[in-house]
Amino acid sequence: MSDMSGLGRVPAAAVRTREQDVRKVVFASLVGSTIEWYDFFLYGVVAGIVFNQLYFPVHDPTISIMLAYATFAVGFVARPLGGLIFGHFGDRLGRKTMLVITLLMMGGATVVIGLLPTYSQTGIAAPLLLLLMRVLQGIGIGGEWGGAVLMAYEYAPEGKRGFYASIPQIGLSLGLFMASGVMALLTMLPEASFMAWGWRAAFIASILLVALGTWIRSNIDESPEFLAAKEESRGRDQGLPFATMMRRYPGNVALGMGARYIDGVFFNVFAVFSIVYLTKYVGMERTFALWTVCTAAVVMIFLIPFFGRVSDRFGRPQTYAVGSALLCLSVFPAFALLSTGNPLLVVLGIVLPFGIVYPICYGPEAALFADLFDPSVRYTGVSFVYQFSGIFASGITPMIATWLLAKNNNDPFWLCAYVVFAGVVSMICAILIARRGQRTAFVA
C-alpha cells in the first residue's frame, strides 16, 4: 500500500521524463548492439564461403573450411578478454564510455578486414592480419554486449527488466539479418566480381554504421543504478571487480555459463554452419541459404521481446529451461527437413527452430544473467558468463559440426546429438538457478 502511495506522489512530468529516458537508452543500446552483431556475424557468414578460398587455400576443402572457422573461433576466445577489460572499467568508471569505445574498436577492425590483401597477394601475412582483426573484433564485442544490455536492464523499472533487457538482444537478429541479407544480395553478382570485391563492400560499409552508432551512444546518460552504487561505495576499497565476482558469486558464474551452452551451440549451428551444410552437403544455392537464415532472423525480431516479457511474468530461469528443452526436441526434425533439399521444407527447418523456438532462450537471457550479480560487479559478471562460455558454446561449434559430419559420412545424427547434449546441460542449469531463487546473487 505504501508503495502505491509513493508512486502517487511522483509528478506526472517526472514519470514522462523517466519513460523518455528509458526509451532513449534502450534505443541507443539496440542500435549499437545491431551494428556490433552485424560486424561480428558478417565474418561468420563469409568465413565458410570466402575466407576458406582466399586466405586458407588448401587441397582438402574440409580442412580449408575448418581453418577459416578456426579464425572465426578466435573471435570467441578473445571475447572473454574484452569482457574482463571493459567489464572492469565499466564497473569502475561507468557503462556509457565503454560502449562508445567498443563500438569504435569493432567497427574499425571490420573495415580493415574489407581492405586486407589475400593469401595469393601477400602469402602468410594475409591470414595473420585477418586473425589479428578477428581478435580485435572479439575484444570489442566481448565488452559491448554486457554494457548494452545492462544500460537497458538498469534503466528499466522492476517487473519489466526482462522485457527491456531483451530489446538490445534484438540487435543479434537484426545484425544477423543485415549480415546475411547484404551477403545474399552481393552473391547475386557474378562469382568473379563477388570474390574480387563484392564481399569486401559489406565490410567497408560498416564505417557508416559505426559513425551513426557512436553519435547516438554519445548522447545518452550514465546508468542511474551504477551511479547510485558508485556513490554508496565512495571511500571504500572495492577491490578488483573480477576477484569480487569470483569470491562472492562462484555458483552463479558456473550456472550462468552452463545455461549459456545451448544458446551458443544452437545459434552457430543454424545461423553459421547451416549455410555451409545447405550449400556443400545438400547442394542448394548459396543465396537461397542466406535468405532462409534472413527469414528466421526477421521472425526472431518480434519474438525476442515477447519472450522477454513472458519471463517477467513466469520467471526467467523457468522460461529459459522450457526453451532449452524445446530446442533439444527441435534439432533432429529440423535437420531431417534440411536434408531433403526441398526449398519449402528447408525454410521450415530453419525458421521453426531458429526463428521461433530459439528466442524462448535468447529473449530472457540478458536479464537472467544480470539478475545473478549486484551492480558493483554486474558488468564484469554478465560479460564473463556470456563471453567465456562462448568459447566452447559458440566459437568452436562450426568446427565441431564440420568434424562430426565428416566422421559420420555427412550424416547429421551426431551433430544433432551434440545439440541435444548442450540443451540438457542448459536446462539443468536453468532449473538450478530457479531453485536458488530468482535473485540469488543478493543472498550468495
Side-chain angles (χ1 to χ4, degrees):
M1 191 65 149
S2 59
D3 290 342
M4 294 297 291
S5 300
L7 285 174
R9 289 193 296 269
V10 177
V15 173
R16 286 194 298 271
T17 300
R18 171 70 175 174
E19 292 173 348
Q20 291 170 355
D21 288 342
V22 173
R23 288 196 295 268
K24 181 179 178 182
V25 167
V26 170
F27 175 72
S29 296
L30 172 60
V31 171
S33 179
T34 299
I35 295 168
E36 294 270 17
W37 283 123
Y38 167 80
D39 288 349
F40 197 77
F41 289 138
L42 189 61
Y43 192 105
V45 171
V46 171
I49 58 177
V50 175
F51 293 159
N52 59 318
Q53 300 180 57
L54 298 185
Y55 293 90
F56 305 97
V58 295
H59 296 298
D60 188 331
T62 298
I63 294 176
S64 180
I65 291 174
M66 290 186 70
L67 286 173
Y69 279 146
T71 60
F72 176 72
V74 165
F76 289 89
V77 175
R79 281 165 64 166
L81 177 60
L84 290 176
I85 293 172
F86 291 103
H88 172 85
F89 289 106
D91 283 328
R92 284 293 185 85
L93 305 178
R95 297 22 173 155
K96 173 183 172 179
T97 302
M98 299 306 109
L99 289 176
V100 174
I101 294 174
T102 55
L103 187 60
L104 291 172
M105 176 181 291
M106 186 77 180
T110 301
V111 172
V112 171
I113 288 174
L115 301 172
L116 287 179
T118 64
Y119 183 90
S120 64
Q121 294 171 319
T122 59
I124 192 65
L128 290 178
L129 288 172
L130 182 66
L131 182 65
L132 176 60
M133 292 304 104
R134 184 58 179 172
V135 169
L136 292 178
Q137 278 193 326
I139 293 174
I141 196 69
E144 196 278 340
W145 181 83
V149 298
L150 284 190
M151 285 294 281
Y153 176 91
E154 293 180 343
Y155 259 91
E158 288 287 346
K160 295 184 178 180
R161 284 185 156 180
F163 171 68
Y164 280 109
S166 71
I167 294 178
Q169 296 284 76
I170 299 174
L172 175 137
S173 51
L174 286 172
L176 176 63
F177 170 76
M178 290 169 58
S180 301
V182 167
M183 292 310 300
L185 290 173
L186 290 172
T187 55
M188 296 172 70
L189 292 167
E191 182 69 12
S193 298
F194 173 74
M195 296 299 291
W197 59 266
W199 69 270
R200 295 180 182 275
F203 285 81
I204 297 173
S206 180
I207 193 170
L208 301 176
L209 300 175
V210 171
L212 172 64
T214 301
W215 177 76
I216 292 174
R217 283 190 166 176
S218 297
N219 288 279
I220 60 174
D221 296 324
E222 184 54 81
S223 159
E225 192 164 350
F226 165 78
L227 293 176
K230 185 177 181 181
E231 182 64 29
E232 182 181 347
S233 64
R234 187 182 299 277
R236 299 201 307 266
D237 181 14
Q238 297 297 302
L240 292 174
F242 179 75
T244 302
M245 174 197 72
M246 294 304 296
R247 184 179 70 253
R248 294 172 61 187
Y249 309 122
N252 292 355
V253 170
L255 291 175
M257 288 195 296
R260 163 89 161 94
Y261 197 11
I262 186 59
D263 163 30
V265 169
F266 203 88
F267 181 91
N268 284 278
V269 165
F270 282 87
V272 178
F273 180 74
S274 68
I275 296 171
V276 173
Y277 180 75
L278 290 173
T279 55
K280 184 176 185 295
Y281 299 96
V282 180
M284 306 198 74
E285 292 292 328
R286 184 170 54 196
T287 302
F288 175 81
L290 287 164
W291 279 123
T292 302
V293 172
C294 280
T295 303
V298 171
V299 174
M300 200 187 305
I301 290 170
F302 301 97
L303 292 181
I304 287 175
F306 172 79
F307 287 110
R309 189 181 293 277
V310 167
S311 75
D312 283 325
R313 181 173 181 181
F314 296 103
R316 285 181 265 286
Q318 294 84 349
T319 305
Y320 200 94
V322 171
S324 298
L326 292 176
L327 290 177
C328 289
L329 295 174
S330 71
V331 65
F332 275 101
F335 268 87
L337 294 174
L338 297 184
S339 300
T340 65
N342 180 289
L344 177 59
L345 296 180
V346 167
V347 171
L348 292 176
I350 294 288
V351 173
L352 291 178
F354 188 45
I356 295 176
V357 182
Y358 174 74
I360 302 175
C361 284
Y362 197 69
E365 185 179 62
L368 173 69
F369 294 162
D371 283 345
L372 298 175
F373 306 97
D374 70 71
S376 67
V377 297
R378 189 175 286 150
Y379 200 142
T380 299
V382 299
S383 297
F384 184 78
V385 164
Y386 189 82
Q387 308 301 355
F388 186 77
S389 61
I391 296 175
F392 60 86
S394 301
I396 63 175
T397 292
M399 287 190 295
I400 290 175
T402 302
W403 182 76
L404 289 173
L405 210 61
K407 284 296 181 181
N408 202 35
N409 296 317
N410 299 337
D411 187 313
F413 177 85
W414 288 115
L415 168 58
C416 295
Y418 175 67
V419 175
V420 170
F421 170 74
V424 170
V425 171
S426 295
M427 180 178 63
I428 292 172
C429 289
I431 292 171
L432 291 175
I433 290 174
R435 288 183 177 179
R436 286 166 65 93
Q438 179 67 12
R439 298 182 68 83
T440 55
F442 304 107
V443 293

